[in-house]
Amino acid sequence: MTRKLKVAVVGLGVGRSHILDGYLPNKDRFEVAVLCDRDEARLKACGEEFAIGNLVTEYDALLGMEDIDIIDVCTPPGTHKDLILAALKAGKHVICEKPLVGSLADIDDMLDAESRSTGRVMPIMQYRYKEGVQKARRLIELGIAGKPYLATCETHWHRTSEYYEKPWRGNWEDALGGTLMNHAIHTNDLLFYLLGPVRSLFARIATRVNRIEVEDCASVSVELTCGAIAAVTATTGSIDEVSRIRLCFENVTIESDSRPYCRPGAADWRFTPANDAVAEEIEKALADFTPPPLGFAGQMQDFHRAICNKTPLPVTLADARQSLDFATACYWSAKTYSAVALPIMADHPFYNGWQKAF
Ligand SMILES: NC(=O)c1ccc[n+]([C@@H]2O[C@H](COP(=O)([O-])OP(=O)(O)OC[C@H]3O[C@@H](n4cnc5c(N)ncnc54)[C@H](O)[C@@H]3O)[C@@H](O)[C@H]2O)c1
């Protein structure tokens, strides 16, 4: 059954982009009915911009609103856990920004809460909704790409001290981590989305770019369970900003565009076939390919379909768990100068988080 779902958006920084780029292009699927932010000026400005009259400063007010189907949590990372658990308890569906939470224990609490609720949780991973990503996934799933050999994954962004003027950014407690958790999480998710889970890794982290608590440089050597190996790097000290993933398969080399953010643009991913026969197979496989709506618009559209049809969500808590498993292993590896095997289990010293260890 298809129906219009009513949304409350909480936190109107990136929450405003969810409205603009996610809900407005899907007007027949969603109605943004309520806005919530503790910052009254921001709340009022956003209410005026989108002609939404129901404005609240207190999150708890949303929990009792019976007509609200979805709470979209776009507040700073350190607040997500409590807000998600409260929404699930109230039977609401939740969409939540990255990084979802700060430990595997938190994710496991969330999985437990979701299993007892009528609500479901979708973490935001809008970079999956790029044409090149979906083309690559199709070629891999059809077996055309062949054996995966090696990948590189770069998130090289630029952040100055101004970016860290927001008090939650740059500290372990509120941001939950540094560039690995807050920036590289998107491109790294693409690595797992396209090549599958990580078997082991060795990580180095450093804080060199800004005067902050958390890391702003990271280099990780990764072994994937599919047998391929990968080099993952992240920094906020790159004057020339790049988000790039490169995947070397037996039959094709796949290279993403290098634009740093998930925004429309002309550049596309490059697929270099090993020979003419592979080129032909690729052409055939992609002949009827329809690009998904970009970014938030695509993810929200798939979310709506999954909720209405009671089918699996496009991005799940299990996906967020994979990102957190990776991050937990990176921080432990960096702290102990050791290689780490994944998955991290409940008896691991960082299962409950790493934030107090640095
Ligand atoms: N997916 C992406 O591309 C993307 C981009 C930017 C930010 N983010 C993520 O979105 C989240 C928010 O980031 P931002 O840059 O928008 O931050 P921000 O500081 O600009 O906005 C957060 C807003 O939340 C409000 N807020 C905080 N706690 C609240 C509460 N308990 N109840 C109501 N309002 C509350 C604040 O007043 C503020 O207006 C972070 O997790 C960040 O990592 C994701």
Side-chain angles (χ1 to χ4, degrees), residues 330-342:
C330 285
Y331 289 118
W332 180 253
S333 174
K335 185 80 187 167
T336 58
Y337 283 75
S338 61
V340 181
L342 281 77

Side-chain angles (χ1 to χ4, degrees), residues 55-241:
L55 309 177
V56 299
T57 51
E58 286 309 312
Y59 180 79
D60 286 356
L62 304 175
L63 302 173
M65 292 183 184
E66 288 195 357
D67 62 332
I68 292 298
D69 301 293
I70 303 161
I71 299 187
D72 183 355
V73 177
C74 299
T75 52
T79 65
H80 293 170
K81 182 187 171 188
D82 291 347
L83 302 189
I84 297 172
L85 289 176
L88 284 176
K89 201 167 170 202
K92 308 292 186 197
H93 298 301
V94 182
I95 294 174
C96 182
E97 264 300 346
K98 45 55 54 174
L100 197 72
V101 286
S103 73
L104 288 164
D106 287 352
I107 282 272
D108 289 343
D109 283 353
M110 220 141 277
L111 281 160
D112 182 50
E114 193 191 41
S115 74
R116 284 182 284 105
S117 172
T118 50
R120 298 158 80 189
V121 184
M122 180 180 74
I124 284 288
M125 275 299 155
Q126 86 272 23
Y127 283 57
R128 291 185 181 189
Y129 288 84
K130 280 178 146 191
E131 185 171 332
V133 178
Q134 293 305 325
K135 281 183 178 167
R137 191 152 153 114
R138 185 182 280 195
L139 298 182
I140 294 165
E141 280 178 354
L142 289 172
I144 294 171
K147 185 176 172 184
Y149 296 151
L150 175 128
T152 56
C153 201
E154 297 157 285
T155 306
H156 295 185
W157 293 1
H158 190 232
R159 295 289 183 272
T160 62
S161 56
E162 267 170 41
Y163 173 82
Y164 294 101
E165 278 167 13
K166 286 209 173 154
W168 67 265
R169 289 187 178 142
N171 70 73
W172 290 107
E173 195 182 338
D174 300 316
L176 305 175
T179 195
L180 273 173
M181 280 286 276
N182 281 284
H183 309 125
I185 195 165
H186 290 295
T187 312
N188 295 352
D189 172 69
L190 296 185
L191 179 71
F192 317 140
Y193 183 56
L194 295 173
L195 290 190
V198 172
R199 179 182 291 150
S200 72
L201 61 78
F202 188 94
R204 286 268 193 271
I205 59 172
T207 307
R208 300 184 57 76
V209 185
N210 282 285
R211 291 169 67 87
I212 53 176
E213 275 181 19
V214 296
E215 88 285 352
D216 54 23
C217 297
S219 171
V220 192
S221 179
V222 179
E223 182 194 15
L224 294 139
T225 57
C226 68
I229 55 173
V232 171
T233 58
T235 182
T236 50
S238 176
I239 311 296
D240 176 24
E241 292 197 299

Side-chain angles (χ1 to χ4, degrees), residues 150-154 244-248 253-256 270:
L150 175 128
T152 56
C153 201
E154 297 157 285
R244 179 167 43 215
I245 184 165
R246 224 172 164 276
L247 305 154
C248 301
T253 297
I254 301 175
E255 181 166 347
S256 74
R270 223 151 41 96

